[in-house]
Amino acid sequence: MTSGLPVPSQVGHAGISSLIMDPECSQLLPALCSVLADPRQPVADDTCLEKLLDWFKTITEAGSSLLLLQENPCLLGLLCHVLKPQDLSPRVLSFSLRLAGMLAAQEDCFQYLQQGELLPRLFGEAGPLGGAAWTAPSVRSGWIQGLRSLARHPSALCFLADCGAVDTIFSLQGDSSLFVASAAGQLLVHILGLSLQGPAEGHPGLQTGDWPVCAQKIVSHIEESLRSAATPQITQALNVLTTTFGHCHDPWTQVLWGRLSPLVACLLEKDPVPAAHSLVDLLLSVARSPVLSSSSSGLWETLAQTLSHLSPTQAGPLALGILKLQECPQVLRAQAFAVLLQPLTCVLEATAQAPGLLDSLDGTGGASVTVDTLLPSKAACVGLLCRTLAHLELLQPLPQRPSPWPQAPLLGATVTILRLCSGSATPTSDAGGHLCAFLVGCVRVQRAALDFLGTLSQGTGPRELVTQVFAVLLEYLTSPDSSPTVLKKAFQATFRWLQSSPETPGCSDLDPHAHLFLRELLPVLPKRLCSPCWEVRDSGLEFLTQMIGRWGGQAGFRRALLASEVPELTEQLLRDPESYVRASAVAAMGQLSSQGLRVTPASPEHPGGQQKSLLAELLHILSTDSEGFPRRAVMHVFTQWLRDGHADVAGDTERFVARVLQVASQDLDWEVRAQGLELALVFLEQTLGRPSSHCPYAVTPPVAAPPSSLAQALRPLCRVQLFEFAFRALFDCDRPVAQKSCDLLLFLRAQTASYGGPQGSGSVPEVASVEAALQRWQAGDQGQPLGYLEPEVVVAVLRSMDLEGLRGALAESSDRVEKSPQSLLQDVLATVGALGEDEADCY
Amino acid sequence: MQCAQIQINYYYVGLWTGHDFHSQFPSFATCSKELKECSGHVFVDSVPEFCLPETELIDLSTVDVILISNYHCMMALPYITEHTGFTGTVYATEPTVQIGRLLMEELVNFIERVPKAQSASLWKNKDIQRLLPSPLKDAVEVSTWRRCYTMQEVNSALSKIQLVGYSQKIELFGAVQVTPLSSGYALGSSNWIIQSHYEKVSYVSGSSLLTTHPQPMDQASLKNSDVLVLTGLTQIPTANPDGMVGEFCSNLALTVRNGGNVLVPCYPSGVIYDLLECLYQYIDSAGLSNIPFYFISPVANSSLEFSQIFAEWLCHNKQTKVYLPEPPFPHAELIQTNKLKHYPSLHGDFSSDFRQPCVVFTGHPSLRFGDVVHFMELWGKSSLNTVIFTEPDFSYLEALAPYQPLAMKCIYCPIDTRLNFIQVSKLLKEVQPLHVVCPEQYTQPPPAQSHRMDLMIDCQPPAMSYRRAEVLALPFKRRYEKIEIMPELADSLVPMEIKPGISLATVSAVLHTKDNKHVLQPPPRPTQPTGGKKRKRASDDIPDCKVLKPLLSGSIPVEQFVQALEKHGFSDIKVEDTAKGHIVLLQEAETLIQIEEDSTHIICDNDEMLRVRLRDLVLKFLQKF
């Protein structure tokens, strides 16, 4: 079958190809091809075919496809075989089409396949195109993807023209399978780009009439589609243009847009505007293209016209896109901003807000839109408001956001929306009443508005509005009707607003208004911490942790917090039935304790009883909690305590570290063990005299003077059995733990090198036994402990270990063996049961 | 009190939903012996009295049937059945009757436990009443208020109830069928369908779409209603029950943690089951496992036990537990583990078991009588304690008024699981009745929140509303009655197809009507002449059935008729037109033939032969069948 194909003349590829495909794979390939070609042995799993294609892609990208074919004639055999009329599965046919396209991407291989007339038979009308297999979307998709890979060189263009593929691609744009339709559109874009790359590149004809036939054909098709009355066809054309202008900024795109823009503009005259979303995408793509936006006359006018023609819902994304543009006329920006703000203007209007707010939102002089037209139904109202708020949230932090930014009206509108949602607003107009009926209890709008309100904290606002913001936040935090997700957002927004409130000069404490707010908030927090809904308890604790982290040192905050029930309740939540809540409680207690805010009054349950120390309580959680989250949280708190020199830790640091490492080493959760290594590293840095650089704001613990000798320096580490922990972690079954331990030991080895004193010596008799034990550990037998190690032994062991080699091995993916092409081929063969011995078993 | 009554074919079906309760609490004397003042409020010192159902509009002795929707709205039943001449039937489901009995028993017990000799009546004098401060001066129908009924009256009233099951069809006098459907609000709570063969009225009252302990609301059976009467919606439309339960739990936990006690004034059945279930799940998470919960009511034990045996009336989850077998409600486990203890009153065992801090559920939620009064007095002075109101029936501020000044914290968490307006709108979209009828207050936002357009019924066509004591004509006309044909009569019919698909047959039968059922029976056979007996007996006095004559149809063309007459030898014929037809005058024979649209008369003088001849001529122009 391959006899008609000429032997390639190129030499020197052999070396490359042998690098690409190892002999084991070459040996397995014929069996694989025969399995694929055999309809009696269906390949059950699509993913292995995809993996095979990925592998072939790697091979063809790295070397010669022609040589690959010649060294593995079975591939050609497979491609020829699938053309025979037979009952071959669509997925194998699709695979073969894609493989053929991949191989033909290289021009010499393309010519080679052309001479055997294999490509026309695969992709032409004689191929699957006309057969029954074409009904399978996977075959159509494979056909397109094959052509997409193939179309890389001028010869391919001629081939496409000759075999009439372009017409088929046109029809596939409307395919019932969305994947096929979308791929067809992208293929058209690719072919258009390819056809204009060569001769047209750099010298785009002023007329598209000078363009290659293939390009002209595509352009005519797009024109025809744009003139069509059918929306799907217009959408297809617009999508092709959007992708073209989005990916290609060659000068020819300018000519193309020049020719097609009048047709696009005509779409705006229709009512309603067809394919509005695609039109918006196209116009934004044009506006973003450096070639088109700079030269295209009338683009800004078209955008302005589009903004005014589209419905508010459709115009929103366009307005946002325009405002995100780096370069854009100021008038258009103003218009876009007015469109974006329209729904909020409506809200303010309907609720009869102070005229000042309205003026600044509606300052562009645009016709004011009434609630009835803009927000006619509940679904429309909710959808539009959510989108508007999300768009504005995206816009707010951008440097190119409109200036002046209407902070006050936006705040006013957002607060009003939140009040309408909670039912606390009292609109006086009918429109306001309708708005209220639409929005009351609407969780979606509440979430969007709270998110945006949080973002608005970045700016300032008039005092009375800020007061209103805090009032509405308090209303949400207090209301029993706030859903858990809304409450979480309300907590987040509250923290952001408190953070942005001006600090009292001199003492960096909260300003008096924020204090007042806090005084009202703190009685609410205990109720939230007692909520039957665990999500609420969790959000409450997270908020508390953030607050303590930010203001834990401030006298005013401390007083207010200590006067509340919050610290006691937080401690109670360490025993919550929900593990997430316990984890958050651990974090919060860690913060409270760090800031000296933990109170230990006699509780009613244990009157007069001695309360457990928090350290003991957290250690208890670390050793007994059945869930990983609280244990991880404890390790984080301990690490932070050690770093900050927490009083409970500083008293007997060695005992603390030894205890924690001992418990952590037995933990089943790898994150706990990894965090144990983090704690070990902090201890190590502190012991060796290197001040921790992780937390520049933390209270710096008293740094020990660098010990004079290495042995002296290492002794505390030996006493806490840090090495036993680290060596055990080095052979951990979870790779991140082993990697971290390896890094820690490498760091330690580097540190020891800077010390003078005794060098590790192999003569120490214990070294051998330690090394033997480590070898057993590596083999999986970690039963035997190392016991106390002398610093000299540690140094000797460290120096004798191939830590770099281990790090290299760990850096490789753990499934590297499973992912190898050889393994893949074996898997495919095994799943279809084609290995020789299995055939014999059939008897 | 909400009450609607539907009149169908002269039968009255009363749909009762409850009674208002006005009572007074003893306090300091100021202006008279009857009136006492407390913290600026004036109260009447009297034995508690109750406002009775409206009787001005309805003569209760003429009511034939009372359908009870749920146990909360049957509290006035003894007043109706025992003192109004009512002789009809009362229909209710079994749990409604059993739990209703418990509620009445508790009420009677509470009142009888603290007997009070005198009943205040002077203040009811209109001249005095109008001078009193609000709310006394605004109280209506004070003269009709009555003291509480006795247990004998309760038993007698309950004995008149006929038990029904969900979806059971009950014939009322043949005129209508009534069917109770689950309303999802309480154990055994019902909506009612009242339907004839061609009309369907649904009475939806006290329904819930939330997933709580009772069987879910049956919405499907409400479809195709001509009229849906909608009442008994939530009293607190702005309070979401889930949020309120959260508030309840949080406040309870905070109080108990601080060493305070929690008092929950409540009814002995209903929401308390759901609250206990929530607490069952919550107490461990809130670290309250050691806190005792006390449920004090004369019927506490029965209520907790009854709830466990009405498996078929419970929601699906609870029903399936019964087959495991497990008790459907987790309060059984709370009782078993001694976390929940119940007592008939605070005297006796309770006093020895009582341990603080604790949570007490007890009645009456009005705070005017029952064991709750003692706890209010016991715990009211300490700010550590909290009273949490969960029943939506009473204003908590009014309930607390006689106890002021009060140091204990008061939390208002009304839990009303009945339909809110959003749920109503979903329900109406689902059920799609032709017309909705509801009280006027549901068709506009509450006066205090006039901007809340969401707090009203919004449906198309707009709901028909009614006010107190208004008579409303329901928007449908009864056009058809169903008549049954006996099989032997049907057999004898000979239909003639007059148009494709439409056949006619003449029927001669006796229409037998009894209990609003209409039956066509074959006519009796013609009586054979009885030989010698000439004397007619009374029993023979039935309509004689003569040989059937064919029915005639068609019209007589006058010109052709005249020609036919001439052909048959009549001459000297004159035709006169009249308003209704024609008169053909046979002058020679002195005979007159009057032809009208639906009748033809031949008038001739005693010439039977001639008449018959003429008749036969006329008949030739008509079709017979």
Side-chain angles (χ1 to χ4, degrees), chain A residues 363-503:
Chain A
T364 53
S368 86
V369 188
T370 60
V371 173
D372 291 344
T373 52
L374 195 62
L375 310 167
S377 67
K378 178 167 180 167
C381 175
V382 168
L384 187 57
L385 281 179
C386 285
R387 270 194 296 275
T388 303
L389 292 165
H391 287 157
L392 287 167
E393 194 188 339
L394 283 175
L395 201 59
Q396 204 269 352
L398 297 183
Q400 69 268 35
R401 72 175 193 193
S403 178
W405 179 253
Q407 173 80 2
L410 286 176
L411 268 181
T414 315
V415 167
T416 306
I417 290 173
L418 283 169
R419 287 211 174 121
L420 286 168
C421 289
S422 68
S424 64
T426 45
T428 44
S429 66
D430 277 357
H434 282 123
L435 211 52
C436 181
F438 289 158
L439 294 182
V440 161
C442 180
V443 174
R444 265 181 72 200
V445 176
Q446 287 175 351
R447 283 198 301 242
L450 284 166
D451 272 341
F452 183 50
L453 190 67
T455 312
L456 284 175
S457 69
Q458 302 306 311
T460 53
R463 167 53 61 192
E464 65 273 16
L465 266 177
V466 176
T467 311
Q468 283 183 31
V469 167
F470 278 116
V472 84
L473 285 172
L474 193 65
E475 186 188 333
Y476 270 76
L477 293 173
T478 320
S479 165
D481 287 338
S482 297
S483 80
T485 51
V486 168
L487 207 58
K488 189 180 175 80
K489 301 262 181 208
F491 273 130
Q492 285 168 349
T494 305
F495 180 68
R496 293 179 76 172
W497 272 95
L498 282 172
Q499 222 176 2
S500 74
S501 67
E503 290 174 347

Side-chain angles (χ1 to χ4, degrees), chain A residues 26-41:
Chain A
S26 281
Q27 275 174 13
L28 288 169
L29 207 53
L32 176 92
C33 289
S34 64
V35 161
L36 292 177
D38 187 355
R40 290 169 307 162
Q41 294 182 319

Side-chain angles (χ1 to χ4, degrees), chain A residues 583-596:
Chain A
S584 299
V586 166
M589 281 312 293
Q591 282 277 17
L592 278 171
S593 177
S594 293
Q595 301 284 359

Side-chain angles (χ1 to χ4, degrees), chain A residues 422-427 430 433-434 436-437 440 478-481 526-528 530-532 537 565 568-569 572-573 575-577 604-605, chain B residues 238-247 249-251 253-254 256-259 282 284-287 290 357 411 422 449 451-454:
Chain A
S422 68
S424 64
T426 45
D430 277 357
H434 282 123
C436 181
V440 161
T478 320
S479 165
D481 287 338
K527 214 189 289 180
R528 294 305 184 193
C530 288
S531 168
R537 300 197 295 273
E565 301 166 68
E568 288 165 73
L569 280 170
Q572 188 104 42
L573 290 174
R575 291 174 288 281
D576 197 276
E605 285 169 53
Chain B
T238 49
N240 166 20
D242 282 340
M244 287 299 136
V245 169
E247 281 287 290
C249 290
S250 311
N251 284 298
L254 279 176
V256 175
R257 274 169 207 254
N258 285 330
Y282 176 69
D284 287 334
S285 77
N290 299 322
I411 307 288
I422 297 171
Q449 291 167 297
H451 65 285
R452 293 291 297 267
M453 311 276 278
D454 57 314

Side-chain angles (χ1 to χ4, degrees), chain B residues 392-433:
Chain B
D393 286 353
F394 303 93
S395 150
Y396 78 106
L397 291 174
E398 278 183 28
L400 288 171
Y403 297 94
Q404 298 299 349
L406 202 64
M408 81 193 293
K409 286 195 282 287
C410 302
I411 307 288
Y412 184 53
C413 298
I415 298 169
D416 194 336
T417 57
R418 286 174 289 183
L419 296 175
N420 64 26
F421 291 97
I422 297 171
Q423 290 159 346
V424 164
S425 133
K426 275 186 193 157
L427 175 74
L428 293 181
K429 265 186 202 147
E430 174 75 23
V431 173
Q432 294 193 323

Side-chain angles (χ1 to χ4, degrees), chain B residues 98-137:
Chain B
Q98 297 300 352
I99 298 176
R101 179 196 298 276
L102 294 184
L103 292 183
M104 292 191 224
E105 195 181 322
E106 188 194 56
L107 184 69
V108 173
N109 197 307
F110 281 159
I111 304 272
E112 287 180 353
R113 220 190 261 173
V114 195
K116 209 168 173 68
Q118 84 282 14
S119 193
S121 57
L122 290 175
W123 72 279
K124 292 181 184 173
N125 183 317
K126 280 195 175 138
D127 293 331
I128 298 174
Q129 193 199 350
R130 67 187 164 83
L131 299 174
L132 295 175
S134 281
L136 291 178
K137 73 169 177 190

Side-chain angles (χ1 to χ4, degrees), chain B residues 365-378:
Chain B
S366 65
L367 303 194
R368 293 299 184 269
F369 44 79
D371 295 314
V372 73
V373 174
H374 297 275
F375 285 100
M376 283 303 295
E377 281 166 357
L378 183 69

